Amino acid sequence: TKSGTNEFHGEVYGNYTDDSYRNATPAEQASGTKTPSVDKDYGFALGGPIIQDKMHFFFTYEAKKFDTPITVTPGVTDTAGFLPASASAQLGPADLPFKEDLYFGKIDWEPTDRDRFELSGQLRKEDQYDNIGSQTATSSGIDTINRCTRIAARWQHSGDSYFNELLFTRENAYNNPTPLQFGDG
C-alpha cells in the first residue's frame, strides 16, 4: 500500500451518471416506466509528513453507489393468463442497488536506518440487493450486508546480514444476507 512522503499530496476524483444518460431497456419500453438508476464513484487520498524524514501518514476513502436496472421475466413465453395477478405484477423492470464505502489509513515511522514501524487500518462496508432478475422477482431477493475491519501492526528490522519482521493482525468479517421480504416467495 502507499505511504506518505515528506511532501503533502492529495487527490480527489468522481464519476456520476444516472438514468437520464441512458436509453430505456426493452422491458422499460414495454412497461412505459423507466427504472431510476444511478452510478456514483468518488473518493480522495491524502498523505504527508508527521515528522520530516521519520514519520508519515496516508489516508484514503472511496465510495461506490450503483443502482442497476434489470428485468424480471417469467422464464417462458405466452404466460399471460396463467400467472396470478400478484406474480404478474412483479414482472418487468426492477433494480439492483449496491453501496460500498472503503477506508484505509496508515502511519509509518522509521526511528533508525534499520527499523521501520507501520500501523494500518482498513474498513469495508457494503450493502447490496442480490438474487433478483431473470426469473427471480424482487420479493424473493436478498439484502447482503458485508463489513470487514482489518488492523495491522508491523515492525521490520534489518541487520548486516539478516532481516526480521514481526507482524500482528486482527480481522473482523461480517456477512449477513437476509430476505427482502419474509413470507411466501
Side-chain angles (χ1 to χ4, degrees), residues 104-105 120-124 148-152 169-173:
F104 176 80
S120 64
Q122 177 181 343
L123 174 62
R124 183 182 88 202
C148 183
T149 304
R150 293 179 184 163
I151 297 172
T169 62
R170 168 114 167 61
E171 181 173 349
N172 183 15

Side-chain angles (χ1 to χ4, degrees), residues 112-130:
T112 71
D113 291 341
R114 294 181 178 252
D115 293 292
R116 178 179 175 88
F117 295 91
E118 290 181 1
L119 178 63
S120 64
Q122 177 181 343
L123 174 62
R124 183 182 88 202
K125 297 167 51 177
E126 294 176 342
D127 189 1
Q128 69 181 15
Y129 285 10
D130 205 357

Side-chain angles (χ1 to χ4, degrees), residues 98-116:
F98 172 80
K99 180 181 178 190
E100 178 183 64
D101 292 299
L102 302 172
Y103 303 86
F104 176 80
K106 180 178 177 182
I107 294 177
D108 58 78
W109 177 40
E110 295 182 5
T112 71
D113 291 341
R114 294 181 178 252
D115 293 292
R116 178 179 175 88

Side-chain angles (χ1 to χ4, degrees), residues 27-129:
E28 290 171 332
Q29 290 173 354
S31 72
T33 304
K34 196 171 186 183
T35 303
S37 63
V38 67
D39 289 354
K40 296 179 189 176
D41 185 10
Y42 55 91
F44 71 91
L46 181 64
I50 298 173
I51 301 172
Q52 196 77 7
D53 296 323
K54 295 286 184 188
M55 185 181 285
H56 307 94
F57 76 94
F58 179 75
F59 181 79
T60 184
Y61 169 74
E62 297 178 36
K64 291 178 174 64
K65 292 176 178 62
F66 302 134
D67 206 349
T68 307
I70 57 168
T71 303
V72 178
T73 61
V76 294
T77 57
D78 299 325
T79 57
F82 293 110
L83 291 174
S86 61
S88 292
Q90 296 183 57
L91 300 176
D95 66 325
L96 281 176
F98 172 80
K99 180 181 178 190
E100 178 183 64
D101 292 299
L102 302 172
Y103 303 86
F104 176 80
K106 180 178 177 182
I107 294 177
D108 58 78
W109 177 40
E110 295 182 5
T112 71
D113 291 341
R114 294 181 178 252
D115 293 292
R116 178 179 175 88
F117 295 91
E118 290 181 1
L119 178 63
S120 64
Q122 177 181 343
L123 174 62
R124 183 182 88 202
K125 297 167 51 177
E126 294 176 342
D127 189 1
Q128 69 181 15
Y129 285 10

